[in-house]
């Protein structure tokens, strides 16, 4: 079968982009080196309860691009994954091709895929986190077990494979029926679960929320907040390069459809001024430094970017005892954290999805949402490319708003 393979042992980024110029597949393989199309054996089923899945649609997410650009991750995270060759693609929907033993799925079933591997999938006794239903924080990420596979799961190694291919394997515990859900909605299940889990990390204690970054995660966090709290006042924060008085930037209309009441765009100073006006707070100008801080502010900020600039902006606009939820994959950052202790802010990290406090798995909740047309997930996938046009797809995804892309997905032909 064909599969895109990323060689993560490459010492530096060979994945480069030339705006306006799309490379041929051959050139991509020779110039990029980091990612190549290869012929691999079809993955074997590890045992009973496992299924071979043929992807139909697989998303290209921000963490995939960071892997290929070799940028944005903290070196400390390399402690948790030793895989040197990766078949990317953890946002994926597909069709069951073959099963082994007793499974909850049958050949021909269309499925949503929750890509996380936990102890039981590796034939290991449950760690403390897996016993608690917090398998997304599994303490045996580097252990291979009888599966002979370490790492986080589908899209993060080679043994089970990933969605950027013609086949991968998944345990039936990782599969949910996609009946009645179109592929362009089904492929959104994974990032939508990330967004819902993030929204649930905030125990609502206020009425004003800000979501920084109107990309895939920002839009899906907005949708989750609006669905969980229909009366919540949600503001999206757009790109700092936008003019506050100019035309609405890309993402503003999508944010409104997702449930935001407005968008603030432009440089941080302009956004802070808008936040002060909206909340009735005063702008306090430090004697040292250029940006003000609010004496009041909003109740919660979801930072879906995770840059030094967005983290700094978030803390300056939060009220005392407000909450910052970090949804973006921040790495090593130079950030002034003084406001965390000075204003008694709560900073919450969030990663992927698991079993929520009501005992339901995040994916199960999202699956229900995806069957409801009022959940506007259709806006997320804006571009689709055949698997063999992966170079063009990656370029479009990397350009992001410049190419009017929210989520780019790869289509895998039947066969």
């Amino acid at each position: 079968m064909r599969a895109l393979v990323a060689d993560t042992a490459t010492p530096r980024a060979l994945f480069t982009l030339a705006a306006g110029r799309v490379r041929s597949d051959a050139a991509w393989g020779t110039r990029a080196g980091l990612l190549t199309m290869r012929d691999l054996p079809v993955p074997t089923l590890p045992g009973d309860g496992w299924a071979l899945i043929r992807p139909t649609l697989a998303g290209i997410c921000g963490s995939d691009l960071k892997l290929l650009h070799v940028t944005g991750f903290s070196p400390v995270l390399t402690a948790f994954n030793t895989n040197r060759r990766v078949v990317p693609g953890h946002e994926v929907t597909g069709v069951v091709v073959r099963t082994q033993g007793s499974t909850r799925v049958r050949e021909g079933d269309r499925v949503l895929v929750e890509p996380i591997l936990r102890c039981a999938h590796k034939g290991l006794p449950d760690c403390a986190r897996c016993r608690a239903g917090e398998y997304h924080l599994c303490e045996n990420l580097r252990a291979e077990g009888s599966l002979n596979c370490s790492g986080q799961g589908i899209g993060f190694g080679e043994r089970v494979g990933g969605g950027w291919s013609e086949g991968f394997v998944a345990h039936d515990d990782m599969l949910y029926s996609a009946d009645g859900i179109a592929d362009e909605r089904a492929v959104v299940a994974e990032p939508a679960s990330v967004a819902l889990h993030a929204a649930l990390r905030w125990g609502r204690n206020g009425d004003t929320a800000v979501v920084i970054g109107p990309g895939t995660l920002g839009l899906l966090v907005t949708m989750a907040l609006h669905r969980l709290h229909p009366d919540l006042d949600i503001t999206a924060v757009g790109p700092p390069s936008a003019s506050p008085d100019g035309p609405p930037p890309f993402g503003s209309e999508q944010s409104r459809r997702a449930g935001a009441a407005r968008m603030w765009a432009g440089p941080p100073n302009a956004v802070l001024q808008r936040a002060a006006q909206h909340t009735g707070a005063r702008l306090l100008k430090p004697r040292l430094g250029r940006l003000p801080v609010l004496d009041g502010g909003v109740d919660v900020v979801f930072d879906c970017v995770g840059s030094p600039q967005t983290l700094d902006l978030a803390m300056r606009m939060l009220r005392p005892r407000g909450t910052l939820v970090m949804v973006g994959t921040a790495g090593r950052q130079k950030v002034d954290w003084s406001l965390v202790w000075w204003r008694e802010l709560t900073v919450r990290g969030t990663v992927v999805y698991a079993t929520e406090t009501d005992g339901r798995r995040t994916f199960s909740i999202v699956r229900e949402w995806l069957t409801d047309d009022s959940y506007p997930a259709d806006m997320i996938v804006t571009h689709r490319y055949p698997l063999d046009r992966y170079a063009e797809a990656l370029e479009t995804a990397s350009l992001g708003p410049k190419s009017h892309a929210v989520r780019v997905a790869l289509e895998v032909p039947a066969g």
Side-chain angles (χ1 to χ4, degrees):
M1 70 169 196
R2 296 182 306 159
L4 289 169
V5 180
D7 181 2
T8 62
T10 302
R12 61 186 179 86
L14 297 177
F15 176 101
T16 57
L17 296 169
R21 181 163 61 91
V22 178
R23 298 174 179 81
S24 67
D25 292 339
W28 188 270
T30 57
R31 295 179 188 173
L34 186 66
L35 183 73
T36 54
M37 182 78 79
R38 303 182 189 180
D39 286 322
L40 299 180
V42 176
T44 57
L45 295 177
D48 288 348
W50 286 80
L52 176 66
I53 310 296
R54 176 182 61 80
T56 51
L57 207 58
I60 301 173
C61 87
S63 59
D64 295 325
L65 295 175
K66 286 181 178 181
L67 169 73
L68 297 176
H69 283 290
V70 195
T71 184
F73 287 115
S74 167
V76 72
L77 296 182
T78 60
F80 297 97
N81 195 338
T82 58
N83 292 321
R84 298 300 183 92
R85 294 213 314 174
V86 173
V87 179
H90 57 275
E91 297 180 4
V92 59
T93 184
V95 177
V96 177
V97 174
R98 186 165 65 250
T99 63
Q100 180 172 324
S102 177
T103 62
R104 297 182 297 106
V105 295
R106 296 178 298 178
E107 295 177 10
D109 284 354
R110 294 178 58 251
V111 290
L112 313 177
V113 182
E114 181 181 23
I116 301 299
L117 287 173
R118 53 186 176 88
C119 289
H121 299 149
K122 299 178 181 180
L124 298 170
D126 277 348
C127 67
R129 299 279 63 78
C130 285
R131 283 197 302 273
E134 299 169 350
Y135 50 87
H136 64 310
L137 302 174
C138 177
E139 296 167 348
N140 283 319
L141 278 180
R142 286 193 62 163
E144 296 186 350
S146 59
L147 186 60
N148 193 29
C149 176
S150 64
Q152 197 169 12
I154 294 164
F156 298 95
E158 192 175 13
R159 170 66 183 92
V160 293
W164 297 6
S165 71
E166 293 176 331
F168 63 91
V169 294
H171 194 275
D172 71 353
D173 177 61
M174 307 160 76
L175 303 176
Y176 299 77
S177 171
D179 285 351
I181 305 173
D183 282 347
E184 60 268 20
R185 290 175 68 87
V187 77
V188 175
E190 199 276 343
S193 296
V194 173
L196 172 57
H197 183 66
L200 292 171
R201 292 286 285 153
W202 177 52
R204 180 172 177 177
N205 58 353
D207 299 316
T208 53
V210 166
V211 180
I212 299 179
T216 298
L217 272 184
L219 291 172
L220 289 168
V221 167
T222 302
M223 289 183 207
L225 288 171
H226 184 64
R227 198 171 182 91
L228 294 170
H229 314 288
D231 62 330
L232 183 65
D233 182 78
I234 306 172
T235 301
V237 171
S241 58
S243 170
D245 302 317
F250 179 74
S252 58
E253 179 57 33
Q254 292 89 336
S255 294
R256 288 184 182 274
R257 285 183 57 199
R262 67 196 64 81
M263 174 180 278
W264 299 331
N269 195 63
V271 172
L272 289 168
Q273 188 172 24
R274 300 279 294 275
Q277 293 170 349
H278 182 67
T279 60
R282 290 179 301 168
L283 290 169
L284 307 179
K285 185 72 169 67
R287 285 186 298 160
L288 301 175
R290 297 179 179 179
L291 286 180
V293 62
L294 276 62
D295 64 350
V298 301
D299 298 301
V300 63
V301 176
F302 291 82
D303 186 350
C304 301
V305 178
S307 71
Q309 294 76 21
T310 57
L311 291 170
D312 182 68
L313 176 64
M315 287 186 286
R316 289 174 187 269
M317 72 169 67
L318 278 168
R319 63 161 173 81
R321 292 195 171 175
T323 301
L324 167 60
V325 182
M326 295 176 61
V327 192
T329 53
R332 288 190 296 182
Q333 311 285 15
K334 185 177 180 180
V335 177
D336 185 345
W337 295 100
S338 299
L339 290 171
V340 173
W341 57 264
W342 184 255
R343 316 257 290 179
E344 294 191 357
L345 303 179
T346 296
V347 179
R348 290 191 176 274
T350 178
V351 64
V352 294
Y353 27 77
T355 303
E356 302 299 345
T357 54
D358 65 356
R360 301 178 67 192
R361 285 166 66 167
T362 327
F363 246 80
S364 180
I365 301 170
V366 165
R367 192 225 170 265
E368 291 182 9
W369 288 7
L370 289 169
T371 62
D372 183 353
D373 290 340
S374 68
Y375 179 63
D378 303 84
M379 74 171 77
I380 299 299
V381 176
T382 55
H383 295 69
R384 298 169 62 156
Y385 293 88
L387 185 64
D388 57 7
R389 289 174 58 192
Y390 67 93
E392 188 177 352
L394 288 167
E395 184 142 11
T396 301
S398 296
L399 291 171
K402 294 180 180 178
S403 60
H404 282 219
V406 178
R407 179 60 92 235
V408 178
L410 294 168
E411 296 177 324
V412 182

